[in-house]
């Protein structure tokens, strides 16, 4: 098992040495509930919260909901959503309006109220970059180009974005970030209501591939850092010689990633919460899209290796998904679910069609899903998100969260320790195949009635279930043992089949139990049989969890 912060950074040394030495009596309340951490074992990931795998069923508030006055409009939406985590920005301008004078009253209110509402928090640090711009920096930063220089565009004009190349900017941001982390430790070091931090937000720059200032040109003429050469298996040289046409973007990605890594390392030295950086995306289906037409230097898929080399203190890189088509969404998930990067959707649109994608995320061993825009401040970010600003906005997401909320800890454990699969309904509603190894497989189909087979109605005289033209289905499966699976879904049919190893045998559904989890234990409700199993296992719009045991007979 690789433990990211605790071993690599020496954070939580007290808890570690106390447990190693068996000094149980000396353990503080903080050691009794361990720090949140990202762990990796056998190529799988878990976000550990209170010492056990945790699945983030998140809701991100709107950008300007980070004030105490707005919180009464946030909690009801998070409750209706059945989220277990609220993601909330904390802005540099808000905590350090005057240089060196800090105000954490909002953080105090947020943490207190999160506990009252029984949810965890992910805090977004809106610092040097928010959607690549400096709008959330304090006035004393954003109006002082001399001390905090902006990038130079290729044509010599000044960019809107701050340059990552200045110690003055980085040190000022670092100071504020570290104060924030210190404060979180002081108020939450024993309870861990705050489980993760996102330093900065959608970093990079639009309209340029990099800073084209003289300072930047001089740095690009220097040798590429050894860690990056090693990552790409390249021989020493300046940036253009080593990376050719990619040099500008790689240089900018390296500059931003090492800037943020330095800030995170300083925060970790105080209190090592897991951290991730979110990405404004590059078209996942067009690797040739030119840098600058997307946020150049941000952790887009084509520079993830640059980020991994430059930012060892950042646990993972996470996509912000606002591309609704299943082809594009799935392609992005594929880019970010890597051996060296757990899948976590840091943002997703809040239109109903996005809700089903949680099944695809969890099928890739994802550790969380955090769609954007969940509060009742009546702001709609349509066309990225929904037009709805009331309780109807949360409903499709609440349905999936109700399903997973009943088994979030169990699912997270199975995902970490066993095998999981998951698919969501494609835009064309086509069938999908799940392969569970040599013995078993399954076909997932959509727009089915609960009774009967499609082949009985080749002309589709019965039509489709109402509302099914908008894709909303999905299924997850976790292995419980060789022949036993946990299956959960919405608006989909799962038809199990025999794999190669069982090809000569007859297969049967030995037992299908519907139930739920209570305190980590399966609670049996009823057995499905007859019409409920003769035509596959049919999931409707109501959350249902099944335990399925498969068997064979000789024929
Ligand atoms: C992505 C950003 O990260 C969010 O803060 C927000 O601005 C959305 N875009 C758009 O609503």
């Amino acid at each position: 098992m690789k433990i990211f912060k605790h071993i690599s950074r020496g954070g939580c040394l007290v808890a570690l040495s106390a447990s190693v030495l068996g000094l149980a009596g000396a353990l503080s309340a903080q050691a009794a509930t361990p720090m949140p951490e990202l762990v990796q074992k056998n190529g799988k990931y878990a976000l550990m919260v209170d010492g056990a795998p945790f699945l983030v069923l998140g809701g991100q508030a709107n950008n300007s909901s980070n004030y105490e006055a707005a919180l009464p409009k946030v909690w009801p939406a998070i409750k209706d959503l059945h989220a277990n985590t609220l993601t909330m920005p904390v802005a540099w301008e808000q905590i350090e309006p005057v240089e060196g004078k800090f105000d954490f009253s909002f953080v105090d209110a947020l943490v207190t109220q999160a506990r009252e509402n029984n949810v965890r928090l992910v805090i977004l640090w809106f610092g040097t970059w928010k959607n690549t711009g400096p709008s959330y920096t304090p006035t004393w930063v954003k109006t002082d180009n001399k001390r905090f220089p902006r990038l130079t565009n290729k044509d010599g004009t000044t960019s809107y974005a701050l340059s990552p190349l200045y110690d003055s900017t980085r040190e000022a941001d670092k100071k504020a970030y570290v104060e924030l982390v210190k404060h979180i430790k002081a108020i939450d070091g024993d309870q861990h209501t705050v489980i993760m931090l996102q330093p900065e937000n959608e970093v990079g720059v639009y309209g340029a591939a990099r800073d084209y200032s003289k300072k930047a040109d001089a740095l690009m003429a220097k040798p590429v850092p050894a860690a990056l050469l090693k990552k790409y298996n390249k021989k020493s040289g300046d940036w253009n010689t080593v990376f050719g046409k990619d040099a500008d973007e790689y240089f900018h990605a390296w500059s931003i990633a090492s800037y943020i890594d330095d800030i995170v390392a300083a925060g970790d030295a105080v209190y090592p919460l897991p951290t991730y950086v979110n990405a404004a995306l590059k078209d996942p289906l067009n690797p040739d899209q030119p840098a600058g037409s997307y946020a150049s230097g941000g952790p887009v898929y084509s520079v993830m290796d640059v980020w991994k080399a430059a930012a060892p203190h950042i646990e993972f890189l996470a996509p912000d998904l606002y591309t609704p088509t299943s082809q594009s969404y799935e392609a992005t998930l594929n880019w970010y679910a890597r051996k060296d990067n757990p899948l976590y959707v840091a943002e997703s649109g809040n239109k109903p069609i996005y809700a089903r994608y949680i099944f695809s995320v969890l099928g890739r061993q994802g550790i969380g899903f955090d769609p954007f825009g969940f509060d009742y401040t009546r702001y709609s970010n349509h066309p990225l998100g929904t037009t709805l600003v009331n309780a109807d906005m949360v409903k499709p997401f609440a349905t999936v969260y109700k399903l997973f909320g009943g088994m979030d800890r169990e699912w997270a454990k199975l995902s970490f320790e066993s095998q999981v699969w998951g698919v969501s309904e494609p835009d064309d509603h086509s069938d999908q195949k799940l392969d569970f190894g040599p013995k078993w497989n399954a076909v997932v189909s959509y727009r089915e009635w609960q009774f009967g087979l499609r082949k009985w109605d080749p002309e589709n005289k019965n039509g489709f279930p109402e509302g099914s033209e908008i894709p909303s289905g999905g299924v997850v499966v976790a292995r419980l043992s060789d022949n036993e699976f946990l299956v959960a879904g919405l608006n989909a049919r799962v038809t199990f089949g025999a794999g190669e190893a069982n090809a000569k045998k007859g297969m049967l559904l030995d037992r299908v139990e519907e139930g739920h989890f209570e305190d980590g234990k399966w609670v049996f409700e009823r057995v499905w049989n007859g019409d409920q199993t003769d035509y596959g296992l049919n999931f409707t719009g109501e959350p249902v969890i099944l335990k399925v045991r498969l068997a064979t007979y000789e024929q």
Side-chain angles (χ1 to χ4, degrees):
M1 181 183 297
K2 181 178 167 198
I3 300 176
F4 286 77
K5 303 243 188 200
H6 290 190
I7 284 177
S8 60
R9 288 162 223 192
C12 232
L13 210 59
V14 176
L16 191 65
S17 52
S19 64
V20 167
L21 298 171
L23 300 176
L27 290 177
S28 64
Q30 180 172 351
T33 55
M35 277 291 287
E37 61 175 339
L38 183 75
V39 296
Q40 189 193 31
K41 188 174 66 178
N42 303 330
K44 293 183 182 171
Y45 287 93
L47 175 64
M48 306 296 277
V49 172
D50 296 343
F54 183 82
L55 172 65
V56 176
L57 300 172
Q60 184 169 152
N62 282 301
N63 286 165
S64 310
S65 300
N66 58 325
Y67 287 84
E68 206 176 334
L71 288 178
K73 293 186 175 137
V74 174
W75 301 119
I78 294 301
K79 186 169 180 235
D80 290 352
L81 184 59
H82 294 266
N84 61 18
T85 304
L86 166 67
T87 300
M88 178 63 87
V90 168
W92 189 359
E93 66 175 354
Q94 144 181 62
I95 65 159
E96 198 185 6
V98 175
E99 189 170 6
K101 294 216 161 80
F102 290 93
D103 174 0
F104 291 110
S105 51
F106 172 65
V107 179
D108 293 340
L110 179 68
V111 170
T112 306
Q113 293 182 29
R115 289 176 190 158
E116 287 162 7
N117 284 276
N118 201 22
V119 294
R120 304 283 175 154
L121 291 168
V122 172
I123 288 185
L124 313 177
W125 170 238
F126 283 9
T128 305
W129 298 287
K130 193 283 172 190
N131 293 27
T132 73
S135 58
Y136 281 85
T137 61
T139 302
W140 56 271
V141 174
K142 60 187 161 204
T143 56
D144 189 349
N145 278 8
K146 237 184 171 164
R147 185 171 161 205
F148 308 109
R150 292 164 196 264
L151 268 75
T152 302
N153 290 317
K154 201 165 190 177
D155 63 5
T157 56
T158 300
S159 163
Y160 66 94
L162 294 179
S163 171
L165 301 179
Y166 294 86
D167 294 347
S168 48
T169 320
R170 197 187 62 248
E171 289 303 322
D173 185 322
K174 192 201 294 184
K175 190 172 159 207
Y177 178 83
V178 169
E179 287 303 318
L180 171 65
V181 172
K182 270 189 204 162
H183 192 78
I184 294 171
K185 181 182 182 186
I187 62 168
D188 194 44
D190 56 346
Q191 292 198 45
H192 308 119
T193 301
V194 182
I195 56 172
M196 285 202 285
L197 293 173
Q198 180 198 282
E200 315 296 341
N201 187 81
E202 290 201 344
V203 300
V205 63
Y206 293 101
R210 65 167 170 99
D211 186 350
Y212 290 92
S213 62
K214 285 199 179 116
K215 181 179 172 95
D217 288 347
L219 286 167
M220 281 195 73
K222 288 191 170 177
V224 170
L228 194 54
L229 291 174
K230 193 169 166 218
K231 190 88 190 167
Y232 282 84
N233 201 14
K234 297 269 192 191
K235 289 206 177 69
S236 185
D238 64 52
W239 287 82
N240 282 311
T241 309
V242 175
F243 291 121
K245 68 173 179 38
D246 295 323
D248 288 349
E249 185 182 6
Y250 281 28
F251 171 74
H252 199 48
W254 175 270
S255 306
I256 296 179
S258 25
Y259 178 110
I260 302 178
D261 193 65
D262 181 57
I263 291 172
V264 170
D268 285 353
V270 173
Y271 186 56
L273 280 171
T275 50
Y276 67 92
V277 174
N278 64 333
L281 299 176
K282 170 175 174 174
D283 181 349
L285 305 169
N286 178 15
D288 295 329
Q289 189 187 350
S293 66
Y294 56 87
S296 179
V300 299
Y301 61 87
S302 48
V303 296
M304 283 174 79
D305 283 339
V306 178
W307 273 78
K308 292 286 172 190
H313 295 89
I314 294 167
E315 267 79 353
F316 59 94
L317 307 170
D320 288 354
L321 270 149
Y322 292 93
T323 47
T325 67
S326 49
Q327 200 196 9
S328 173
Y329 204 104
E330 301 279 351
T332 294
L333 297 184
N334 282 340
W335 282 117
Y336 283 84
R338 306 186 352 167
K339 280 212 165 69
D340 61 355
N341 197 69
L343 183 61
Y344 177 81
V345 171
E347 289 180 34
S348 190
N350 62 359
K351 283 182 189 172
I353 46 166
Y354 286 104
R356 75 199 202 266
Y357 288 126
I358 190 171
F359 293 99
S360 298
V361 173
L362 299 185
R364 289 172 175 86
Q365 225 260 307
I367 59 169
F369 185 66
D370 196 13
F372 179 87
F374 285 106
D375 59 41
Y376 294 146
T377 56
R378 303 194 69 77
Y379 189 84
S380 150
N381 67 349
H382 179 73
L384 284 188
T386 178
T387 51
L388 301 167
V389 290
N390 54 22
D392 287 343
M393 162 180 78
V394 305
K395 280 185 186 152
F397 294 85
T399 306
V400 289
Y401 279 10
K402 260 195 247 166
L403 176 65
F404 290 107
M407 57 170 187
D408 49 351
R409 288 289 193 171
E410 292 76 15
W411 177 267
K413 189 166 189 284
L414 284 165
S415 176
F416 187 45
E417 293 176 358
S418 181
Q419 282 175 293
V420 291
W421 297 263
V423 285
S424 53
E425 184 173 356
D427 294 344
D428 64 3
H429 315 282
S430 54
D431 295 355
Q432 288 152 311
K433 188 137 190 208
L434 298 177
D435 184 355
F436 307 127
K439 289 170 82 177
W440 312 111
N441 53 48
V443 172
V444 182
S445 53
Y446 304 95
R447 308 197 79 186
E448 302 263 23
W449 294 102
Q450 287 175 269
F451 185 95
L453 299 178
R454 266 189 205 150
K455 63 181 176 196
W456 296 352
D457 182 16
E459 287 163 36
N460 193 25
K461 288 193 179 126
N462 292 317
F464 294 109
E466 202 186 321
S468 67
E469 63 281 1
I470 298 170
S472 62
V475 165
V476 287
V477 179
R479 184 186 292 285
L480 298 174
S481 67
D482 219 19
N483 298 325
E484 202 175 15
F485 299 89
L486 191 77
V487 187
L490 287 170
N491 299 324
R493 170 180 291 187
V494 180
T495 307
F496 278 94
E500 271 164 52
N502 287 330
K504 295 203 174 116
K505 299 176 184 166
M507 81 141 293
L508 50 86
L509 294 170
D510 183 15
R511 186 174 168 90
V512 178
E513 286 185 12
E514 180 179 342
H516 63 274
F517 288 95
E518 261 173 43
D519 300 326
K521 294 214 165 55
W522 176 250
V523 179
F524 165 81
E525 290 170 19
R526 63 172 179 152
V527 166
W528 279 20
N529 209 336
D531 289 348
Q532 280 64 55
T533 55
D534 289 346
Y535 312 105
L537 307 174
N538 290 284
F539 295 93
T540 65
E542 284 301 308
V544 165
I545 307 174
L546 301 175
K547 234 165 128 173
V548 179
R549 197 166 70 219
L550 304 172
T552 55
Y553 58 94
E554 298 302 325
Q555 41 175 21

PDB file of all heavy atoms in Angstrom, residues 451-472:
ATOM      1  N   PHE A 451     -41.191  -6.628 -18.235  1.00  0.00           N
ATOM      2  CA  PHE A 451     -41.656  -7.978 -18.556  1.00  0.00           C
ATOM      3  C   PHE A 451     -41.413  -8.258 -20.041  1.00  0.00           C
ATOM      4  O   PHE A 451     -41.654  -7.405 -20.885  1.00  0.00           O
ATOM      5  CB  PHE A 451     -43.161  -8.046 -18.242  1.00  0.00           C
ATOM      6  CG  PHE A 451     -43.775  -9.403 -18.402  1.00  0.00           C
ATOM      7  CD1 PHE A 451     -43.914 -10.258 -17.308  1.00  0.00           C
ATOM      8  CD2 PHE A 451     -44.240  -9.832 -19.640  1.00  0.00           C
ATOM      9  CE1 PHE A 451     -44.499 -11.511 -17.452  1.00  0.00           C
ATOM     10  CE2 PHE A 451     -44.820 -11.082 -19.784  1.00  0.00           C
ATOM     11  CZ  PHE A 451     -44.953 -11.922 -18.694  1.00  0.00           C
ATOM     12  N   GLY A 452     -40.947  -9.465 -20.342  1.00  0.00           N
ATOM     13  CA  GLY A 452     -40.854  -9.884 -21.739  1.00  0.00           C
ATOM     14  C   GLY A 452     -39.537  -9.549 -22.406  1.00  0.00           C
ATOM     15  O   GLY A 452     -38.680  -8.857 -21.845  1.00  0.00           O
ATOM     16  N   LEU A 453     -39.400 -10.086 -23.613  1.00  0.00           N
ATOM     17  CA  LEU A 453     -38.158  -9.918 -24.371  1.00  0.00           C
ATOM     18  C   LEU A 453     -38.416  -9.093 -25.631  1.00  0.00           C
ATOM     19  O   LEU A 453     -39.495  -9.185 -26.227  1.00  0.00           O
ATOM     20  CB  LEU A 453     -37.621 -11.294 -24.777  1.00  0.00           C
ATOM     21  CG  LEU A 453     -37.281 -12.244 -23.627  1.00  0.00           C
ATOM     22  CD1 LEU A 453     -36.816 -13.597 -24.181  1.00  0.00           C
ATOM     23  CD2 LEU A 453     -36.192 -11.654 -22.735  1.00  0.00           C
ATOM     24  N   ARG A 454     -37.418  -8.346 -26.025  1.00  0.00           N
ATOM     25  CA  ARG A 454     -37.543  -7.492 -27.222  1.00  0.00           C
ATOM     26  C   ARG A 454     -37.924  -8.302 -28.461  1.00  0.00           C
ATOM     27  O   ARG A 454     -38.681  -7.835 -29.307  1.00  0.00           O
ATOM     28  CB  ARG A 454     -36.198  -6.831 -27.500  1.00  0.00           C
ATOM     29  CG  ARG A 454     -36.072  -5.471 -26.905  1.00  0.00           C
ATOM     30  CD  ARG A 454     -34.794  -4.856 -27.436  1.00  0.00           C
ATOM     31  NE  ARG A 454     -34.306  -3.860 -26.507  1.00  0.00           N
ATOM     32  CZ  ARG A 454     -33.029  -3.559 -26.354  1.00  0.00           C
ATOM     33  NH1 ARG A 454     -32.107  -4.213 -27.013  1.00  0.00           N
ATOM     34  NH2 ARG A 454     -32.671  -2.616 -25.513  1.00  0.00           N
ATOM     35  N   LYS A 455     -37.357  -9.518 -28.536  1.00  0.00           N
ATOM     36  CA  LYS A 455     -37.570 -10.298 -29.769  1.00  0.00           C
ATOM     37  C   LYS A 455     -39.040 -10.692 -29.937  1.00  0.00           C
ATOM     38  O   LYS A 455     -39.457 -11.084 -31.017  1.00  0.00           O
ATOM     39  CB  LYS A 455     -36.648 -11.512 -29.807  1.00  0.00           C
ATOM     40  CG  LYS A 455     -36.852 -12.513 -28.728  1.00  0.00           C
ATOM     41  CD  LYS A 455     -35.840 -13.656 -28.887  1.00  0.00           C
ATOM     42  CE  LYS A 455     -35.999 -14.607 -27.708  1.00  0.00           C
ATOM     43  NZ  LYS A 455     -34.910 -15.507 -27.535  1.00  0.00           N
ATOM     44  N   TRP A 456     -39.805 -10.580 -28.874  1.00  0.00           N
ATOM     45  CA  TRP A 456     -41.238 -10.879 -28.998  1.00  0.00           C
ATOM     46  C   TRP A 456     -41.998  -9.758 -29.720  1.00  0.00           C
ATOM     47  O   TRP A 456     -43.140  -9.934 -30.112  1.00  0.00           O
ATOM     48  CB  TRP A 456     -41.891 -11.038 -27.609  1.00  0.00           C
ATOM     49  CG  TRP A 456     -41.395 -12.188 -26.800  1.00  0.00           C
ATOM     50  CD1 TRP A 456     -40.557 -13.186 -27.195  1.00  0.00           C
ATOM     51  CD2 TRP A 456     -41.699 -12.447 -25.435  1.00  0.00           C
ATOM     52  NE1 TRP A 456     -40.310 -14.053 -26.163  1.00  0.00           N
ATOM     53  CE2 TRP A 456     -41.011 -13.617 -25.056  1.00  0.00           C
ATOM     54  CE3 TRP A 456     -42.490 -11.814 -24.481  1.00  0.00           C
ATOM     55  CZ2 TRP A 456     -41.089 -14.164 -23.781  1.00  0.00           C
ATOM     56  CZ3 TRP A 456     -42.574 -12.370 -23.214  1.00  0.00           C
ATOM     57  CH2 TRP A 456     -41.871 -13.519 -22.865  1.00  0.00           C
ATOM     58  N   ASP A 457     -41.342  -8.633 -29.841  1.00  0.00           N
ATOM     59  CA  ASP A 457     -42.027  -7.466 -30.413  1.00  0.00           C
ATOM     60  C   ASP A 457     -41.095  -6.778 -31.413  1.00  0.00           C
ATOM     61  O   ASP A 457     -40.654  -5.643 -31.222  1.00  0.00           O
ATOM     62  CB  ASP A 457     -42.395  -6.503 -29.269  1.00  0.00           C
ATOM     63  CG  ASP A 457     -43.143  -5.275 -29.744  1.00  0.00           C
ATOM     64  OD1 ASP A 457     -43.642  -5.289 -30.890  1.00  0.00           O
ATOM     65  OD2 ASP A 457     -43.211  -4.291 -28.982  1.00  0.00           O
ATOM     66  N   PRO A 458     -40.777  -7.509 -32.527  1.00  0.00           N
ATOM     67  CA  PRO A 458     -39.748  -6.988 -33.446  1.00  0.00           C
ATOM     68  C   PRO A 458     -40.113  -5.624 -34.033  1.00  0.00           C
ATOM     69  O   PRO A 458     -39.230  -4.857 -34.402  1.00  0.00           O
ATOM     70  CB  PRO A 458     -39.646  -8.062 -34.533  1.00  0.00           C
ATOM     71  CG  PRO A 458     -40.826  -8.936 -34.368  1.00  0.00           C
ATOM     72  CD  PRO A 458     -41.328  -8.796 -32.975  1.00  0.00           C
ATOM     73  N   GLU A 459     -41.403  -5.340 -34.122  1.00  0.00           N
ATOM     74  CA  GLU A 459     -41.775  -4.029 -34.700  1.00  0.00           C
ATOM     75  C   GLU A 459     -41.982  -2.958 -33.639  1.00  0.00           C
ATOM     76  O   GLU A 459     -42.454  -1.861 -33.914  1.00  0.00           O
ATOM     77  CB  GLU A 459     -43.036  -4.183 -35.542  1.00  0.00           C
ATOM     78  CG  GLU A 459     -42.757  -4.908 -36.843  1.00  0.00           C
ATOM     79  CD  GLU A 459     -44.031  -5.424 -37.480  1.00  0.00           C
ATOM     80  OE1 GLU A 459     -45.060  -4.736 -37.375  1.00  0.00           O
ATOM     81  OE2 GLU A 459     -43.995  -6.529 -38.035  1.00  0.00           O
ATOM     82  N   ASN A 460     -41.671  -3.302 -32.441  1.00  0.00           N
ATOM     83  CA  ASN A 460     -41.787  -2.374 -31.301  1.00  0.00           C
ATOM     84  C   ASN A 460     -43.185  -1.758 -31.191  1.00  0.00           C
ATOM     85  O   ASN A 460     -43.348  -0.556 -31.035  1.00  0.00           O
ATOM     86  CB  ASN A 460     -40.716  -1.281 -31.389  1.00  0.00           C
ATOM     87  CG  ASN A 460     -40.606  -0.512 -30.073  1.00  0.00           C
ATOM     88  OD1 ASN A 460     -40.942  -1.040 -29.018  1.00  0.00           O
ATOM     89  ND2 ASN A 460     -40.161   0.733 -30.132  1.00  0.00           N
ATOM     90  N   LYS A 461     -44.186  -2.656 -31.260  1.00  0.00           N
ATOM     91  CA  LYS A 461     -45.570  -2.169 -31.156  1.00  0.00           C
ATOM     92  C   LYS A 461     -45.869  -1.649 -29.753  1.00  0.00           C
ATOM     93  O   LYS A 461     -46.749  -0.808 -29.561  1.00  0.00           O
ATOM     94  CB  LYS A 461     -46.531  -3.299 -31.500  1.00  0.00           C
ATOM     95  CG  LYS A 461     -46.514  -3.624 -32.973  1.00  0.00           C
ATOM     96  CD  LYS A 461     -47.687  -4.507 -33.353  1.00  0.00           C
ATOM     97  CE  LYS A 461     -47.643  -4.798 -34.833  1.00  0.00           C
ATOM     98  NZ  LYS A 461     -47.684  -6.199 -35.168  1.00  0.00           N
ATOM     99  N   ASN A 462     -45.151  -2.163 -28.783  1.00  0.00           N
ATOM    100  CA  ASN A 462     -45.385  -1.727 -27.392  1.00  0.00           C
ATOM    101  C   ASN A 462     -44.701  -0.393 -27.070  1.00  0.00           C
ATOM    102  O   ASN A 462     -44.904   0.168 -26.007  1.00  0.00           O
ATOM    103  CB  ASN A 462     -44.868  -2.781 -26.405  1.00  0.00           C
ATOM    104  CG  ASN A 462     -45.698  -4.036 -26.462  1.00  0.00           C
ATOM    105  OD1 ASN A 462     -46.924  -3.963 -26.529  1.00  0.00           O
ATOM    106  ND2 ASN A 462     -45.042  -5.188 -26.468  1.00  0.00           N
ATOM    107  N   GLY A 463     -43.871   0.079 -28.009  1.00  0.00           N
ATOM    108  CA  GLY A 463     -43.175   1.347 -27.767  1.00  0.00           C
ATOM    109  C   GLY A 463     -42.169   1.224 -26.623  1.00  0.00           C
ATOM    110  O   GLY A 463     -41.811   0.119 -26.188  1.00  0.00           O
ATOM    111  N   PHE A 464     -41.722   2.378 -26.142  1.00  0.00           N
ATOM    112  CA  PHE A 464     -40.722   2.400 -25.064  1.00  0.00           C
ATOM    113  C   PHE A 464     -41.342   2.979 -23.800  1.00  0.00           C
ATOM    114  O   PHE A 464     -42.300   3.758 -23.875  1.00  0.00           O
ATOM    115  CB  PHE A 464     -39.542   3.289 -25.471  1.00  0.00           C
ATOM    116  CG  PHE A 464     -38.751   2.760 -26.622  1.00  0.00           C
ATOM    117  CD1 PHE A 464     -38.805   3.382 -27.870  1.00  0.00           C
ATOM    118  CD2 PHE A 464     -37.953   1.637 -26.468  1.00  0.00           C
ATOM    119  CE1 PHE A 464     -38.070   2.896 -28.931  1.00  0.00           C
ATOM    120  CE2 PHE A 464     -37.212   1.147 -27.530  1.00  0.00           C
ATOM    121  CZ  PHE A 464     -37.277   1.777 -28.773  1.00  0.00           C
ATOM    122  N   PRO A 465     -40.771   2.657 -22.637  1.00  0.00           N
ATOM    123  CA  PRO A 465     -41.268   3.271 -21.402  1.00  0.00           C
ATOM    124  C   PRO A 465     -41.189   4.796 -21.477  1.00  0.00           C
ATOM    125  O   PRO A 465     -40.248   5.352 -22.066  1.00  0.00           O
ATOM    126  CB  PRO A 465     -40.322   2.728 -20.320  1.00  0.00           C
ATOM    127  CG  PRO A 465     -39.760   1.481 -20.892  1.00  0.00           C
ATOM    128  CD  PRO A 465     -39.697   1.691 -22.382  1.00  0.00           C
ATOM    129  N   GLU A 466     -42.167   5.447 -20.867  1.00  0.00           N
ATOM    130  CA  GLU A 466     -42.270   6.909 -20.923  1.00  0.00           C
ATOM    131  C   GLU A 466     -40.999   7.590 -20.381  1.00  0.00           C
ATOM    132  O   GLU A 466     -40.474   7.181 -19.344  1.00  0.00           O
ATOM    133  CB  GLU A 466     -43.465   7.335 -20.072  1.00  0.00           C
ATOM    134  CG  GLU A 466     -43.995   8.691 -20.454  1.00  0.00           C
ATOM    135  CD  GLU A 466     -45.077   9.132 -19.479  1.00  0.00           C
ATOM    136  OE1 GLU A 466     -45.888   8.281 -19.047  1.00  0.00           O
ATOM    137  OE2 GLU A 466     -45.058  10.330 -19.124  1.00  0.00           O
ATOM    138  N   GLY A 467     -40.522   8.571 -21.088  1.00  0.00           N
ATOM    139  CA  GLY A 467     -39.368   9.350 -20.622  1.00  0.00           C
ATOM    140  C   GLY A 467     -38.033   8.707 -20.949  1.00  0.00           C
ATOM    141  O   GLY A 467     -36.981   9.297 -20.699  1.00  0.00           O
ATOM    142  N   SER A 468     -38.076   7.491 -21.550  1.00  0.00           N
ATOM    143  CA  SER A 468     -36.801   6.771 -21.716  1.00  0.00           C
ATOM    144  C   SER A 468     -35.989   7.268 -22.907  1.00  0.00           C
ATOM    145  O   SER A 468     -34.877   6.795 -23.136  1.00  0.00           O
ATOM    146  CB  SER A 468     -37.041   5.267 -21.822  1.00  0.00           C
ATOM    147  OG  SER A 468     -37.728   4.977 -23.017  1.00  0.00           O
ATOM    148  N   GLU A 469     -36.526   8.232 -23.682  1.00  0.00           N
ATOM    149  CA  GLU A 469     -35.720   8.746 -24.806  1.00  0.00           C
ATOM    150  C   GLU A 469     -34.516   9.548 -24.291  1.00  0.00           C
ATOM    151  O   GLU A 469     -33.506   9.678 -24.958  1.00  0.00           O
ATOM    152  CB  GLU A 469     -36.563   9.564 -25.798  1.00  0.00           C
ATOM    153  CG  GLU A 469     -37.210  10.826 -25.258  1.00  0.00           C
ATOM    154  CD  GLU A 469     -38.490  10.558 -24.448  1.00  0.00           C
ATOM    155  OE1 GLU A 469     -38.876   9.391 -24.274  1.00  0.00           O
ATOM    156  OE2 GLU A 469     -39.066  11.548 -23.962  1.00  0.00           O
ATOM    157  N   ILE A 470     -34.643  10.089 -23.083  1.00  0.00           N
ATOM    158  CA  ILE A 470     -33.498  10.807 -22.483  1.00  0.00           C
ATOM    159  C   ILE A 470     -32.700   9.782 -21.668  1.00  0.00           C
ATOM    160  O   ILE A 470     -33.230   9.190 -20.733  1.00  0.00           O
ATOM    161  CB  ILE A 470     -33.981  11.939 -21.568  1.00  0.00           C
ATOM    162  CG1 ILE A 470     -34.772  12.946 -22.401  1.00  0.00           C
ATOM    163  CG2 ILE A 470     -32.820  12.631 -20.852  1.00  0.00           C
ATOM    164  CD1 ILE A 470     -35.502  13.984 -21.595  1.00  0.00           C
ATOM    165  N   PRO A 471     -31.432   9.535 -22.025  1.00  0.00           N
ATOM    166  CA  PRO A 471     -30.694   8.484 -21.322  1.00  0.00           C
ATOM    167  C   PRO A 471     -30.544   8.775 -19.833  1.00  0.00           C
ATOM    168  O   PRO A 471     -30.160   9.881 -19.446  1.00  0.00           O
ATOM    169  CB  PRO A 471     -29.323   8.460 -22.004  1.00  0.00           C
ATOM    170  CG  PRO A 471     -29.302   9.576 -22.968  1.00  0.00           C
ATOM    171  CD  PRO A 471     -30.651  10.199 -23.057  1.00  0.00           C
ATOM    172  N   SER A 472     -30.886   7.804 -19.015  1.00  0.00           N
ATOM    173  CA  SER A 472     -30.813   8.004 -17.562  1.00  0.00           C
ATOM    174  C   SER A 472     -30.357   6.733 -16.846  1.00  0.00           C
ATOM    175  O   SER A 472     -30.286   6.711 -15.627  1.00  0.00           O
ATOM    176  CB  SER A 472     -32.179   8.413 -17.010  1.00  0.00           C
ATOM    177  OG  SER A 472     -33.107   7.365 -17.252  1.00  0.00           O
TER     178      SER A 472
END
